[in-house]
Amino acid sequence: MSRNNNNFSFEQESDIDDIDLLADDIPASSNQHQASSNGAIAGQNSNPFKDPSIEDQYIYPDVELVDLQSRIDTSSAPLNSNGNPFADSNQVFDDDNDILNERVADNRRDLPDFNSPNESKFDIKMYWSKLLGKPYSKVRDNSSPRIIHLNDPVTNSHFRYMDNHISTTKYNLATFVPKFLFEQFSKYANLFFLFTSIIQQIPGVTPTNRYTTIGTLLVVLTVSAIKEIMEDLKRNSADKELNSSKTMVLDSKAQDFVPRSWLNLKVGEIVKVSNGEPFPADLLLLSSSEPEALCYIETANLDGETNLKIKQGKSQTSHLTSPRQLCNLQGKVLSENPNSSLYTYEGTITFDNQEVALSPDQMLLRGANLKNTNWVVGLVVFTGHETKLMRNATAAPIKRTNVERIINLQILALFGILITLSLISSLGNIIKLQLDGNELGYLHLENTNKVGLFFKNILTFWILFSNLVPISLFVSVELIKYYQAFMIASDLDIYDEEKDTPTVCRTSSLVEELGQIEYIFSDKTGTLTRNIMEYKASSIAGRCYIKDIPEDRKAIVGDDGIEIGFHNFEEMYQDLNSDELGNIINEFFTLLATCHTVIPEVQDDGTIKYQAASPDEGALVQGASDVGYRFTVRKPNSVVFENTHLGRKYTYELLDVLEFNSTRKRMSGIFKCPDGRIRLYSKGADTVIFERLSTSGNHFVEATTRHLEDFAAEGLRTLCIATRVISEEEYLEWKPIHDKASTTLVDRQQKMDDAAELIEKDLFLLGATAIEDKLQDGVPDTISSLQEAGIKIWILTGDRQETAINIGMSCRLLSEDMNLLVINEDSKEETRDNMLSKLTALHENQVSAEDMRSLALVIDGKSLGYALDPDLEDYFLEIGVMCRAVVCCRVSPLQKALVVKMVKRRKKALLLAIGDGANDVSMIQAAHVGIGISGMEGMQAARSADFSISQFKFLKKLLIVHGAWSYQRISEAILYSFYKNIALYMIQFWYAFSNAYSGQTVVESWTLTLYNVFYTVAPPIVIGIFDQFVSARYLDRYPRLYRVCQKGTFFNVTIFWGWVINGFYHSAVIYLCSIFIYRYGNVLSGGQVADHWTFGTAVFTSCTLTALGKAALVTNLWTKFTLLAIPGSFGFWLLFFPFHATVGPLVNVSQEYRGIIPSVYGSLTFWAMTLVVPIMCLLRDVLWKYYRRMYHPETYHFVQEIQKYNIQDHKPRVTHFQKAIRKVRQVHRMRKQRGFAFSQADEGQDKLVRLYDTTKKRDINGVLW
């Protein structure tokens, strides 16, 4: 595969090896040259439609397609003001257009020739897809563009484009059996039992019943299959709900839009989407209810950005607003092939003898929502799994837990032990026959082939020892996990009463993974924040105003003469009546009401809704409106606001807009005011505003700086507000310079910035604003607890760097004493140098562990693209793991998944990904555990995740309490299950030394089977469901206890083999004691000799009581269920055995037990052995437990004592002190570095706002009036 200009290489893209449906179709469109929000087309492919990695289309053998690069050459074409390489939006391609039109004039020549030899070849994929009722998009030529005919469904149907259904299920009818069996038999234990079942069917080999193993295995597989089907049916139900959503589709017969489900939407159809609705597929914007086919869309579900984006249709199609006009539209679209790039699009639309270039400005992507626009009309280009949203998704993967992986490896070792035991026993049998053959004549083995007997004995002993691996374990574990998932869903502490949304566990097999998470990868928008901006406070002329004054925060004058604290709005209204202060306050809010790019939309009830490309802008304008400066009208060259205090409207003539960009960090507007003066209004980051203040007359700088520190310490987003009166002579002198810069073709942006510098000077500081990007409830405390628990948190967001840093500060991910390592470079070489310099500094300075905890990495999307290259990812990962927190900004959904997969591949750590948007799905599925938040961005993430919660704060209890419990419970249940089986079945091995290695069982075969089914099945289940090593209250109080689980204290290789060896030890003690007790056999009254099965029953009873006693020793919490499971299980054995021994022989089962009851229960030796032997076995365990707790205690042992004796600690007092210290450090840090956030598109705003005239409306047919 050839390489392209992607920020990350194809080697990395191939890591997304489970891309949904078309795994090989990793797009080759260039992310390195992403189109900006103004719609510039970028890329360097020789053919703009050629995507070497995508093969979705047909060959058109009769059409010689002209290379379109010569007509869409972005490398040389000058950009117009909208960033479009076609300087004139009405431009039609040159003479090549005539050639292309001549060659594709006949629609039939565009269709595949199904009569040609190539077309008639048998294609099994096509028939298989038809059989399953699945869409089929035939792979042909990757160099040809997608051809879509307008209003011609018959022609489009020949291309067999994919339908619009989406599926996030793990299985379907065809794949369930192979995928399920692959998943189940990837567990070595199931493979082992399958092989054992086959051996048991060989006549004369098995020493037990032929069907005991295969029957149990079928039960295990059936239980697992039912659980998988139930969980997948939930996913299927969610998919059906989405696929059955309705949208309005143009019906050429009815000459109107009619409702139709998303599932039945086809490529080439025209749809109408209303305000607030999501786009059902990838659409080309034709027209809208706004002038010049403008519309606002929200893409938070795609790229995580909260700000609205403006899309604009082509002027040639903007008049197509009525159904009749749209039905008469004839032509075709040449489109790029489906790919995953969210920011690029290239194509052309041909109609009415004109060919118009298409760019990302016209692309409305599935997953985005229409906002603040009555309606839009769009042409369906990509559907279903070919949409860019689904191209960024990955198929639901098969996930295995860390505990399962350890068990798999240890089972291999147990296989080795089993084979060794079988070889020893088989070899012993041969040696015994060879040495003592004369004494064994009654066996008639004189002519037996010793080699054949040896291998036959291996199989016999394989079956006899096979239960060293407990087959019942996997049924028990499935039941435990299912019930743990049920308890998680039933927990009212993680239930959202307001939304009536419980926590949902969609993949119960991963519950114990929640207890060992080391890295969390989190989206920001909608996950940590609410997508809601609120205007909180104003600093005006050195005085702070807020609606409701916080407790103990009333305004007072400090020792330095600076006023601190707040005034309420009533005091502000009084100050408005004063002369100097009133003028400043009036000017402050006038600036907020006029200097912006917001569009007012009057609702039916007379209220105004503000359409803002930036949530900050909307909050500022709404804040001004709330205090009486109500922005009402926008025209191309003016804005109008109403001063409700005076009942007057003011019109400000808009002369120029000096747009915000990430370099300028400010926005300015030049207005001609009602008093005839020309004023410059400017707002931006404090650093850039302070640099441009006048050296005289600014009396509020020191006070404003103090207020900014207080705002920033509260995690608020701040902007400084300044103004200046410009003389008409100065403006007329400056205007030609600005106009010339705006039309230059060389280095336009820099020259416009230079022109702005000439006018943005000598400013007068009015004050500052404070906006709260409202966090989800409990986010700061949750992140603080998770970090205390030893979990490192990485934020992967589509937001800008400043926004992400501010949110990181407010949610305590980034603390006041942290040192930020910033990587924000424009090339791979610069990124490499930046990372190497940081690594060198960190290694050479020998940074202490304490200083390491103060490091945080911030990297932007472009640098991240380079950092993910194979030759740089080691540097990136090394820096990242050193840091306590990592923030990745402006990242695409695919990059999110690549980051997660890189850490997953390189680090032996468990990863959790959490998000709430469709852009987070690939990241969620790439992690070991994926959690979706059912939030404002839809349910796509929640449907695709392993768990779903309604608020981020619930993650704390989900991990620290339920995760720790689940991990400890599952660990104890698994370890105990292995132990109890080894304790019993190793007795079979020791017994081989007494029975000439004949393969004779010491216990009756059905009793052996029921050992795991009845007699000891309850303890591991009860431990796995109800045990608590520490209560929820103390786990929440001491998050550091989670580190015990992270370190694998409850389950690791050492612990596993400790339990195995203990099982060997107990089996040896039981066997040796029973041999000495029953040595001479004279154990019955009257001098009778007990038979073999009486001895075996005594051994079995002693082993059962020993195993149950071990369960009692490891149980931390005794409940009524524990009493039923442990003492109750032993009582059940004692009561059930007489029934079994009586009824069994009558129905020709367990003939060995005929008449055995009196010789067992009537024997004092039996009862003495049952009491003494378990005590001798468990004495070592009791002493070991005492030694560990007294001399080598774990952290949780101390907390268990605190919990048991209710010991008080001083944590609340320490916490209060830490908060006070944090506040002091935060203020100190903010004095050195204050962040700001101004989430607005970098350019293009001036042109767009001048297209709006809110005094004009469209009628029902879309005509302006």
Side-chain angles (χ1 to χ4, degrees):
M1 182 181 288
S2 62
R3 298 180 63 88
N4 68 351
N5 296 323
N6 258 341
N7 290 344
F8 38 85
S9 68
F10 273 110
E11 286 82 2
Q12 287 167 310
E13 288 186 342
S14 66
D15 290 339
I16 308 298
D17 51 10
D18 45 4
I19 280 289
D20 203 315
L21 291 185
L22 298 176
D24 298 330
D25 293 353
I26 301 297
S29 51
S30 174
N31 285 335
Q32 178 178 348
H33 304 286
Q34 291 176 354
S36 65
S37 58
N38 63 4
I41 299 175
Q44 297 182 357
N45 290 333
S46 62
N47 187 334
F49 296 107
K50 185 173 183 179
D51 192 338
S53 62
I54 299 178
E55 299 178 345
D56 291 306
Q57 306 301 321
Y58 287 97
I59 290 177
Y60 310 103
D62 299 330
V63 182
E64 181 184 350
L65 291 170
V66 180
D67 184 1
L68 299 179
Q69 179 64 33
S70 60
R71 288 170 282 143
I72 310 180
D73 189 352
T74 62
S75 62
S76 60
L79 297 174
N80 65 3
S81 60
N82 193 31
N84 195 316
F86 303 92
D88 181 0
S89 61
N90 295 316
Q91 176 181 352
V92 181
F93 288 132
D94 55 19
D95 294 339
D96 283 346
N97 181 45
D98 299 330
I99 300 172
L100 184 61
N101 285 335
E102 179 182 347
R103 291 182 176 177
V104 297
D106 186 1
N107 286 345
R108 293 185 176 275
R109 297 178 66 190
D110 293 332
L111 300 177
D113 183 3
F114 292 104
N115 295 320
S116 69
N118 291 332
E119 295 295 339
S120 62
K121 289 181 179 178
F122 175 73
D123 190 340
I124 191 170
K125 290 184 178 180
M126 179 178 68
Y127 288 100
W128 183 247
S129 298
K130 286 183 177 180
L131 178 65
L132 297 178
K134 294 285 186 180
Y136 178 63
S137 182
K138 194 166 184 178
V139 176
R140 291 302 176 86
D141 185 10
N142 61 11
S143 64
S144 59
R146 167 169 287 208
I147 299 180
I148 304 168
H149 295 272
L150 306 178
N151 288 317
D152 192 351
V154 175
T155 304
N156 288 329
S157 66
H158 286 83
F159 294 103
R160 297 177 188 160
Y161 293 131
M162 189 168 289
D163 69 19
N164 200 39
H165 97 287
I166 61 108
S167 174
T168 59
T169 56
K170 191 174 177 180
Y171 308 104
N172 58 41
L173 289 175
T175 63
F176 175 75
V177 172
K179 286 184 73 172
F180 173 75
L181 291 179
F182 172 79
E183 182 176 358
Q184 293 303 313
F185 287 109
S186 63
K187 300 172 183 176
Y188 297 148
N190 287 344
L191 275 177
F192 167 73
F193 289 120
L194 178 64
F195 182 64
T196 302
S197 301
I198 295 171
I199 296 175
Q200 280 186 312
Q201 308 313 307
I202 302 174
V205 170
T206 179
T208 61
N209 190 285
R210 295 173 61 185
Y211 304 107
T212 53
T213 304
I214 194 169
T216 311
L217 179 60
L218 288 175
V219 171
V220 171
L221 295 178
T222 301
V223 170
S224 299
I226 291 172
K227 184 180 75 71
E228 290 291 322
I229 290 171
M230 290 176 63
E231 291 178 349
D232 218 43
L233 284 176
K234 293 178 183 178
R235 301 186 188 101
N236 184 60
S237 177
D239 291 339
K240 282 185 177 179
E241 182 182 349
L242 183 65
N243 289 330
S244 60
S245 302
K246 300 293 184 182
T247 191
M248 303 300 291
V249 183
L250 183 65
D251 189 327
S252 56
K253 294 182 180 179
Q255 295 279 303
D256 202 355
F257 289 97
V258 297
R260 191 189 299 171
S261 65
W262 286 17
L263 178 64
N264 298 320
L265 201 59
K266 295 179 175 58
V267 172
E269 292 186 321
I270 295 174
V271 301
K272 184 176 184 178
V273 180
S274 299
N275 186 30
E277 294 180 350
F279 299 117
D282 287 354
L283 310 177
L284 282 178
L285 175 60
L286 298 178
S287 60
S288 77
S289 59
E290 304 302 319
E292 302 296 329
L294 290 167
C295 71
Y296 278 94
I297 66 169
E298 181 186 67
T299 61
N301 210 11
L302 287 168
D303 55 20
E305 293 194 33
T306 56
N307 54 298
L308 300 183
K309 295 182 175 62
I310 297 178
K311 296 290 185 175
Q312 182 179 10
K314 287 296 183 179
S315 59
Q316 293 88 339
T317 64
S318 61
H319 66 283
L320 301 173
T321 55
S322 69
R324 184 176 297 275
Q325 289 174 304
L326 292 166
C327 286
N328 293 331
L329 183 63
Q330 296 296 320
K332 68 174 63 177
V333 170
L334 297 184
S335 168
E336 68 181 16
N337 289 317
N339 59 72
S340 64
S341 175
L342 298 176
Y343 307 106
T344 61
Y345 180 75
E346 296 173 352
T348 63
I349 182 171
T350 305
F351 67 100
D352 295 342
N353 296 321
Q354 57 181 333
E355 188 172 18
V356 182
L358 301 171
S359 73
D361 265 354
Q362 290 78 54
M363 179 56 69
L364 306 175
L365 301 181
R366 177 172 182 154
N369 293 326
L370 183 65
K371 293 291 185 180
N372 301 332
T373 308
N374 288 337
W375 52 263
V376 296
V377 172
L379 175 73
V380 178
V381 180
F382 304 127
T383 51
H385 288 270
E386 290 184 337
T387 59
K388 290 179 181 286
L389 168 66
M390 296 307 295
R391 283 306 189 115
N392 276 278
T394 54
I398 295 174
K399 296 184 178 181
R400 299 186 185 91
T401 69
N402 189 49
V403 171
E404 286 178 353
R405 286 189 288 271
I406 294 176
I407 289 176
N408 256 3
L409 292 175
Q410 305 322 307
I411 285 176
L412 286 177
L414 282 176
F415 289 167
I417 292 176
L418 187 150
I419 292 172
T420 302
L421 297 178
S422 300
L423 288 171
I424 291 173
S425 301
S426 300
L427 188 61
N429 180 251
I430 299 300
I431 294 173
K432 182 71 174 177
L433 291 177
Q434 191 68 32
L435 297 178
D436 301 325
N438 296 331
E439 301 176 7
L440 301 174
Y442 60 90
L443 296 178
H444 303 291
L445 299 174
E446 296 82 3
N447 298 320
T448 302
N449 185 319
K450 298 295 190 295
V451 175
L453 181 62
F454 174 77
F455 287 105
K456 180 182 176 182
N457 284 340
I458 288 178
L459 298 180
T460 298
F461 285 110
W462 175 289
I463 294 171
L464 197 60
F465 302 146
S466 63
N467 279 296
L468 288 175
V469 180
I471 189 170
S472 64
L473 164 68
F474 300 99
V475 175
S476 301
V477 167
E478 293 292 346
L479 291 174
I480 290 169
K481 291 183 176 182
Y482 187 82
Y483 198 81
Q484 284 179 350
F486 170 76
M487 290 195 295
I488 289 173
S490 303
D491 190 345
L492 293 179
D493 289 340
I494 51 179
Y495 164 76
D496 192 329
E497 186 175 2
E498 182 181 345
K499 300 178 184 176
D500 189 25
T501 306
T503 295
V504 178
C505 180
R506 287 185 164 80
T507 311
S508 60
S509 59
L510 299 177
V511 286
E512 76 269 24
E513 297 280 77
L514 295 172
Q516 294 183 281
I517 300 300
E518 294 185 45
Y519 289 87
I520 291 178
F521 297 85
S522 174
D523 177 41
K524 181 192 76 67
T525 305
T527 303
L528 303 179
T529 63
R530 299 188 197 173
N531 288 347
I532 299 173
M533 298 289 181
E534 182 179 344
Y535 190 98
K536 294 294 289 185
S538 307
S539 170
I540 308 175
R543 293 162 68 89
C544 277
Y545 298 100
I546 194 170
K547 184 176 181 180
D548 298 311
I549 300 176
E551 186 178 354
D552 299 330
R553 296 295 300 276
K554 285 189 68 69
I556 58 173
V557 178
D559 297 337
D560 54 1
I562 297 176
E563 185 179 276
I564 57 176
F566 295 96
H567 299 273
N568 57 28
F569 283 176
E570 286 73 16
E571 294 175 270
M572 184 182 71
Y573 296 144
Q574 294 174 7
D575 293 339
L576 264 172
N577 297 323
S578 63
D579 292 334
E580 183 178 357
L581 184 56
N583 290 336
I584 295 176
I585 295 174
N586 180 70
E587 195 78 349
F588 181 92
F589 286 109
T590 297
L591 186 152
L592 295 185
T594 56
C595 183
H596 53 74
T597 59
V598 173
I599 310 298
E601 182 182 280
V602 180
Q603 306 294 304
D604 295 336
D605 59 0
T607 59
I608 295 179
K609 184 175 183 180
Y610 295 116
Q611 306 175 7
S614 158
D616 296 72
E617 288 251 271
L620 291 173
V621 175
Q622 186 63 53
S625 177
D626 291 342
V627 298
Y629 290 76
R630 188 166 176 256
F631 173 53
T632 57
V633 175
R634 175 176 294 283
K635 295 183 178 181
N637 297 307
S638 65
V639 295
V640 178
F641 76 89
E642 178 184 4
N643 188 323
T644 57
H645 302 291
L646 303 177
R648 296 178 57 185
K649 293 186 177 181
Y650 297 90
T651 301
Y652 281 68
E653 183 183 349
L654 177 60
L655 301 178
D656 292 283
V657 175
L658 307 179
E659 296 175 355
F660 170 89
N661 63 42
S662 55
T663 303
R664 284 168 39 78
K665 298 184 180 179
R666 63 191 182 278
M667 172 205 172
S668 299
I670 302 177
F671 296 88
K672 190 165 189 179
C673 304
D675 61 4
R677 291 186 173 186
I678 297 176
R679 286 184 173 86
L680 169 76
Y681 289 151
S682 186
K683 59 185 181 183
D686 54 356
T687 51
V688 296
I689 295 296
F690 285 174
E691 290 173 356
R692 288 158 180 81
L693 295 179
S694 173
T695 55
S696 61
N698 278 295
H699 308 299
F700 315 120
V701 174
E702 189 174 353
T704 303
T705 302
R706 175 65 178 272
H707 296 159
L708 286 169
E709 292 170 358
D710 292 339
F711 293 155
E714 298 294 331
L716 302 177
R717 303 165 67 156
T718 59
L719 287 175
C720 282
I721 307 298
T723 185
R724 159 179 192 224
V725 176
I726 303 173
S727 67
E728 190 163 349
E729 294 77 12
E730 182 182 1
Y731 176 74
L732 292 175
E733 180 181 347
W734 171 84
K735 179 66 172 172
I737 299 174
H738 176 262
D739 291 345
K740 182 178 179 181
S742 65
T743 57
T744 185
L745 300 180
V746 180
D747 205 8
R748 178 186 301 171
Q749 190 60 57
Q750 182 59 48
K751 291 185 177 179
M752 291 184 68
D753 291 350
D754 294 340
E757 289 285 352
L758 300 175
I759 201 77
E760 292 174 326
K761 62 182 181 180
D762 299 331
L763 301 178
F764 176 77
L765 181 65
L766 297 172
T769 62
I771 296 174
E772 180 183 10
D773 187 354
K774 296 186 76 66
L775 296 173
Q776 298 277 2
D777 290 339
V779 165
D781 289 337
T782 301
I783 287 182
S784 178
S785 296
L786 293 174
Q787 287 185 323
E788 188 178 349
I791 300 174
K792 293 186 177 181
I793 301 176
W794 292 31
I795 287 183
L796 309 175
T797 178
D799 276 338
R800 297 175 181 276
Q801 181 174 307
E802 296 87 354
T803 306
I805 291 175
N806 269 2
I807 294 300
M809 294 296 298
S810 61
C811 70
R812 296 191 203 166
L813 176 68
L814 306 177
S815 63
E816 61 286 342
D817 55 348
M818 274 189 171
N819 296 305
L820 301 185
L821 308 177
V822 179
I823 302 176
N824 191 350
E825 306 297 342
D826 293 325
S827 68
K828 183 175 179 179
E829 291 69 24
E830 292 173 346
T831 303
R832 184 198 305 273
D833 294 342
N834 188 317
M835 290 192 292
L836 285 175
S837 65
K838 286 179 170 54
L839 284 172
T840 302
L842 291 172
H843 291 313
E844 288 182 353
N845 295 329
Q846 296 182 345
V847 181
S848 65
E850 184 66 28
D851 290 335
M852 283 292 186
R853 286 193 289 270
S854 69
L855 295 177
L857 174 64
V858 179
I859 183 170
D860 76 321
K862 194 169 187 179
S863 299
L864 180 63
Y866 300 128
L868 290 173
D869 276 349
D871 54 334
L872 295 187
E873 67 177 14
D874 287 339
Y875 303 141
F876 171 55
L877 186 60
E878 186 177 356
I879 297 174
V881 297
M882 286 182 183
C883 297
R884 189 179 184 188
V886 176
V887 178
C888 302
C889 318
R890 304 291 287 175
V891 296
S892 69
L894 200 58
Q895 284 179 315
K896 289 183 178 184
L898 287 173
V899 170
V900 173
K901 287 206 167 190
M902 178 197 69
V903 179
K904 184 178 180 181
R905 185 175 65 250
R906 298 282 183 151
K907 297 289 294 181
K908 292 183 179 179
L910 293 184
L911 318 180
L912 180 148
I914 180 170
D916 72 327
N919 60 311
D920 304 315
V921 170
S922 56
M923 169 181 74
I924 285 171
Q925 294 183 335
H928 293 102
V929 178
I931 296 183
I933 292 184
S934 49
M936 296 178 65
E937 296 184 18
M939 294 292 293
Q940 184 71 29
R943 282 194 294 264
S944 304
D946 304 307
F947 302 84
S948 68
I949 57 179
S950 62
Q951 295 187 46
F952 183 83
K953 68 178 180 180
F954 294 156
L955 189 62
K956 178 181 177 181
K957 187 169 187 182
L958 185 63
L959 296 186
I960 292 178
V961 177
H962 286 292
W965 278 351
S966 297
Y967 166 65
Q968 181 262 338
R969 290 165 173 171
I970 288 289
S971 298
E972 296 285 1
I974 291 173
L975 293 170
Y976 176 74
S977 296
F978 275 98
Y979 154 80
K980 67 184 180 68
N981 271 41
I982 290 171
L984 176 63
Y985 289 97
M986 272 305 296
I987 295 175
Q988 293 284 163
F989 176 72
W990 307 127
Y991 185 58
F993 291 92
S994 302
N995 63 21
Y997 310 97
S998 63
Q1000 172 64 46
T1001 62
V1002 68
V1003 181
E1004 187 269 335
S1005 62
W1006 278 108
T1007 303
L1008 284 174
T1009 301
L1010 294 177
Y1011 176 75
N1012 283 316
V1013 176
F1014 285 148
Y1015 307 136
T1016 60
V1017 69
I1021 293 177
V1022 170
I1023 290 173
I1025 293 176
F1026 299 107
D1027 197 36
Q1028 296 179 8
F1029 71 105
V1030 176
S1031 68
R1033 174 177 170 231
Y1034 283 95
L1035 284 171
D1036 182 76
R1037 189 179 184 84
Y1038 302 104
R1040 293 178 69 88
L1041 286 175
Y1042 189 81
R1043 302 188 183 194
V1044 173
C1045 302
Q1046 283 180 328
K1047 293 187 297 183
T1049 303
F1050 297 114
F1051 193 94
N1052 54 47
V1053 175
T1054 303
I1055 295 289
F1056 178 85
W1057 285 102
W1059 280 75
V1060 169
I1061 292 171
N1062 196 36
F1064 275 76
Y1065 167 74
H1066 285 177
S1067 69
V1069 171
I1070 292 170
Y1071 181 72
L1072 290 174
C1073 288
S1074 63
I1075 286 293
F1076 282 111
I1077 291 172
Y1078 278 83
R1079 184 172 184 180
Y1080 300 106
N1082 298 322
V1083 294
L1084 302 179
S1085 59
Q1088 293 175 315
V1089 178
D1091 68 356
H1092 167 73
W1093 303 113
T1094 302
F1095 165 75
T1097 303
V1099 170
F1100 182 83
T1101 304
S1102 299
C1103 183
T1104 301
L1105 186 56
T1106 302
L1108 294 173
K1110 179 65 175 177
L1113 278 177
V1114 300
T1115 298
N1116 295 290
L1117 179 67
W1118 281 79
T1119 66
K1120 59 183 178 182
F1121 302 103
T1122 315
L1123 292 173
L1124 287 173
I1126 298 177
S1129 291
F1130 189 67
F1132 176 77
W1133 156 247
L1134 293 179
L1135 294 175
F1136 186 76
F1137 171 67
F1139 174 80
H1140 181 189
T1142 302
V1143 177
L1146 297 179
V1147 295
N1148 202 29
V1149 174
S1150 304
Q1151 293 291 339
E1152 299 91 337
Y1153 281 164
R1154 186 178 298 277
I1156 197 176
I1157 297 175
S1159 62
V1160 175
Y1161 282 5
S1163 170
L1164 181 63
T1165 306
F1166 168 81
W1167 295 108
M1169 176 175 166
T1170 300
L1171 178 64
V1172 173
V1173 172
I1175 293 175
M1176 295 182 64
C1177 288
L1178 295 173
L1179 182 62
R1180 186 212 67 84
D1181 298 73
V1182 172
L1183 293 175
W1184 174 250
K1185 185 174 183 179
Y1186 174 82
Y1187 172 78
R1188 284 291 310 276
R1189 281 186 170 273
M1190 295 301 296
Y1191 301 105
H1192 295 285
E1194 293 285 350
T1195 307
Y1196 69 91
H1197 290 151
F1198 296 108
V1199 180
Q1200 284 176 339
E1201 289 195 25
I1202 293 174
Q1203 175 180 311
K1204 181 177 180 180
Y1205 299 109
N1206 199 22
I1207 301 173
Q1208 298 297 318
D1209 65 1
H1210 304 285
K1211 185 174 182 180
R1213 191 182 306 166
V1214 173
T1215 302
H1216 180 76
F1217 175 74
Q1218 289 175 340
K1219 286 182 178 178
I1221 293 296
R1222 186 182 298 118
K1223 178 75 173 179
V1224 173
R1225 289 178 176 175
Q1226 196 168 22
V1227 171
H1228 178 71
R1229 185 181 187 279
M1230 291 303 172
R1231 286 175 177 167
K1232 296 187 294 181
Q1233 175 182 347
R1234 281 188 300 278
F1236 81 103
F1238 200 96
S1239 303
Q1240 191 184 69
D1242 280 2
E1243 53 189 29
Q1245 296 294 305
D1246 182 22
K1247 176 179 181 294
L1248 290 170
V1249 298
R1250 290 186 183 276
L1251 293 171
Y1252 272 90
D1253 187 344
T1254 56
T1255 61
K1256 295 183 179 181
K1257 304 292 181 184
R1258 285 188 186 271
D1259 61 17
I1260 192 171
N1261 294 319
V1263 179
L1264 284 172
W1265 56 275

